[in-house]
Amino acid sequence: MRDIQHYLRSRAADFEEDLCRLLRIPSVSADGKYRSDVERAAQWIADQFERLGVAREVIPTAGHPLVYAETPAVPGAPRVLVYGHYDVQPPDPLGEWISPPFEPTRRDGDLFARGATDDKGQLLTHVKSLEAWMRVRGGLPLQVKFLIEGEEEVGSEHLDGFLRANAERLACDVVVISDSSQFSPDLPAITYGLRGIAYFELRVTGPRQDLHSGTFGGSIMNPANALTAILARLIDDRGRIQVPGFYDDVLPLTDQERSQFRALPFDEDRFQGRIGVPKLHGEDGYTTLERRWARPTFDINGLWSGYQGEGSKTVLPARAGAKFSFRLVPNQNPAKVAECLRGFLASVCPPGVTYELIEMHGGAGYVADLSSPYLAAAARAIERGFGTAPVFIREGGSIPIVSSFRKHLKADSLLLGWGLDDDNAHGPNEKLRIADFHRGIAASAHLWNELASR
Ligand code: BES
Ligand code: MN
Ligand code: MN
């Protein structure tokens, strides 16, 4: 691998420049005003493959396009599908960015921009390791198919159907995804479990229009009061979700897994300090890592009603609404959670208002088969790329399409994260350590070798 390592070193500055080019494209999938930028990002990625002479295609969907590329088949070697996403979260709140979100800026060894870690910087590592193999060796030791989507941050609505319809074309032995994190700086990790999600919007409606709160207050149900009463009943002060049936399918943590979590070098005080809260909080009876990785949650993600401007206004709002979501653990089913929630709302909604529950998106959780030989190959590749053997962890985030890969392609996923927990994904000042970008490329270059000779 000397030849390839040498190539990676000689091209390091160009790789960073290319990452900056991709980061300058504001490919925000949630907001229609960025539609042409989203398309430009897809095209930019397709061009990366074109320069290498790799077969590629920008595939339109009913939403944002997919980029698909594949290298030639290598008989006798496993086939790998690399998945990633070129779309990013909205950059708000804009005022909190130290440098503008779509002007990549280096500070102290970090590269700051929306998408730096989630997922442009991470996904590009696999494109650049492909480049190294193509330029130095003329090809890869195994077949790699790339599937890069533009709707991950809005629930991958059109990808499941594409997998079902193209299962033969996408056939593979294992999926590789770099869209997660290391355990801590300089301690890389392989993530063997992810949580699922069930996301909702609840709209509560009261009177025909806003009313004077003195003239009418006390004679009707205020929809903001009703909404907050409902939300407050969803979870108790010991962190237990109160929806009947919610915990029915939850797999309890095994003693073995609990002791594995406890063996990881995790410092609760430092974690608390970094986040800036006076006290950590969660479900009674579980550690912070257990709560984050292997227990379900309920969280309000957005909440609105009434007057929010300067000063005060005595008003009964006509409407109130909330966006909220449950993180789910493996074996919980988002559709069943929605059904339980509908039953719960019917029983707790106060009289005098009506409501509408909108199911936004959902996805099941995931745990990998830890005995896979591909997992061992990935661990060797990471050790070579990072200089440290990875630990095996779970994470609290969701990549719903991972369970679709299992269902439609019968393939497990290797979740090889090059990011860090404090990369500020989805928040202001998102970043990626530049050293991790290069280590990720090196690990990816080793990965093709290790998987081919597993
Ligand atoms: N890369 C994240 C998922 C992730 C986060 C994995 C943290 C591991 C650790 C992904 O881009 C993401 O944000 N997913 C959404 C999914 C949702 C939109 C369906 C999430 O977890 O909120
Ligand atoms: Mn991501
Ligand atoms: Mn994300």
Side-chain angles (χ1 to χ4, degrees):
M1 293 289 288
R2 282 265 167 76
D3 51 349
I4 288 180
Q5 281 166 335
H6 180 262
Y7 180 88
L8 295 182
R9 267 195 298 276
S10 70
R11 297 269 294 139
D14 302 305
F15 292 169
E16 288 172 29
E17 260 331 290
D18 271 341
L19 174 55
C20 290
R21 288 190 183 99
L22 178 56
L23 290 171
R24 283 190 197 104
I25 307 175
S27 45
V28 178
S29 51
D31 188 339
K33 76 169 185 262
Y34 295 100
R35 176 167 271 279
S36 68
D37 297 306
V38 170
E39 258 158 51
R40 205 148 52 85
Q43 195 55 55
W44 188 93
I45 294 187
D47 290 346
Q48 290 281 299
F49 295 113
E50 184 186 4
R51 290 191 335 189
L52 299 173
V54 171
R56 81 279 152 201
E57 213 183 316
V58 175
I59 302 171
T61 72
H64 298 310
L66 295 164
V67 182
Y68 182 72
E70 72 177 42
T71 63
V74 178
R79 298 153 305 173
V80 178
L81 179 72
V82 171
Y83 164 83
H85 63 94
Y86 66 80
D87 66 320
V88 299
Q89 289 272 333
D92 317 72
L94 279 175
E96 286 184 32
W97 285 78
I98 295 165
S99 50
F102 299 109
E103 288 174 25
T105 305
R106 291 176 180 78
R107 283 194 298 276
D108 291 338
D110 291 317
L111 184 61
F112 287 84
R114 172 58 88 231
T117 189
D118 188 9
D119 177 40
K120 289 171 173 176
Q122 296 203 55
L123 92 84
L124 203 64
T125 61
H126 298 297
V127 179
K128 292 306 171 186
S129 80
L130 166 72
E131 175 181 323
W133 276 86
M134 297 296 289
R135 297 282 192 233
V136 176
R137 306 269 181 99
L140 290 175
L142 77 188
Q143 183 176 37
V144 180
K145 305 174 178 186
F146 287 84
L147 180 65
I148 320 281
E149 72 154 316
E151 298 188 298
E152 197 277 342
E153 299 292 11
V154 287
S156 302
E157 199 187 325
H158 302 99
L159 194 53
D160 188 83
F162 182 82
L163 293 190
R164 194 197 316 261
N166 293 273
E168 219 159 291
R169 186 181 188 192
L170 301 172
C172 61
D173 298 288
V174 68
V175 179
V176 168
I177 305 177
S178 292
D179 191 21
S180 50
S181 294
Q182 304 174 64
F183 181 67
S184 58
D186 305 315
L187 184 52
I190 292 182
T191 297
Y192 69 89
L194 291 170
R195 286 195 289 194
I197 189 167
Y199 199 115
F200 301 93
E201 181 171 324
L202 180 62
R203 297 179 184 167
V204 177
T205 304
R208 191 165 291 119
Q209 63 170 56
D210 287 6
L211 300 170
H212 191 292
S213 69
T215 315
F216 298 95
S219 68
I220 61 160
M221 174 55 76
N222 176 331
N225 293 21
L227 176 68
T228 52
I230 294 169
L231 294 174
R233 289 182 70 164
L234 269 162
I235 190 161
D236 72 6
D237 55 9
R238 317 176 101 212
R240 289 288 291 188
I241 292 150
Q242 300 298 302
V243 177
F246 181 85
Y247 288 98
D248 284 1
D249 298 327
V250 169
L251 294 179
L253 270 152
T254 63
D255 288 342
Q256 194 200 354
E257 217 175 7
R258 297 188 92 165
S259 59
Q260 278 164 2
F261 287 7
R262 264 193 295 273
L264 291 166
F266 182 71
D267 181 333
E268 304 231 350
D269 293 336
R270 272 188 50 193
F271 177 78
Q272 179 188 335
R274 179 156 68 74
I275 300 174
V277 288
K279 192 177 186 304
L280 295 175
H281 173 77
E283 187 181 3
D284 267 11
Y286 294 93
T287 67
T288 295
L289 286 184
E290 289 166 356
R291 289 167 175 172
R292 292 168 61 204
W293 292 353
R295 293 298 299 170
T297 61
F298 160 74
D299 277 296
I300 298 169
N301 304 115
L303 192 56
W304 62 94
S305 186
Y307 181 66
Q308 328 235 335
E310 200 175 304
S312 57
K313 181 181 186 204
T314 45
V315 68
L316 297 179
R319 279 170 289 276
K323 292 181 196 284
F324 58 86
S325 55
F326 302 89
R327 291 287 167 172
L328 309 179
V329 296
N331 202 47
Q332 277 185 296
N333 174 344
K336 200 169 156 196
V337 167
E339 205 181 295
C340 295
L341 178 64
R342 285 193 188 278
F344 176 81
L345 291 179
S347 73
V348 301
C349 182
V353 291
T354 58
Y355 66 87
E356 182 191 3
L357 180 73
I358 301 161
E359 295 175 31
M360 308 278 281
H361 58 66
Y366 176 78
V367 230
D369 170 8
L370 280 168
S371 66
S372 155
Y374 300 120
L375 222 60
R380 292 195 298 275
I382 291 177
E383 181 160 8
R384 289 180 202 280
F386 282 75
T388 310
V391 288
F392 288 80
I393 65 170
R394 288 169 68 163
E395 287 214 59
S398 310
I399 309 178
I401 206 66
V402 164
S403 38
S404 305
F405 287 138
R406 189 177 261 171
K407 185 159 127 214
H408 299 309
L409 308 182
K410 312 271 177 290
D412 260 18
S413 294
L414 297 171
L415 302 161
L416 315 177
W418 315 141
L420 290 173
D421 267 359
D422 66 359
D423 276 344
N424 300 324
H426 296 200
N429 304 307
E430 180 178 348
K431 65 165 175 72
L432 177 65
R433 275 210 310 191
I434 295 167
D436 287 333
F437 175 60
H438 294 296
R439 288 192 271 216
I441 298 171
S444 171
H446 283 288
L447 182 66
W448 313 137
N449 203 30
E450 295 293 340
L451 288 174
S453 60
R454 85 216 171 278

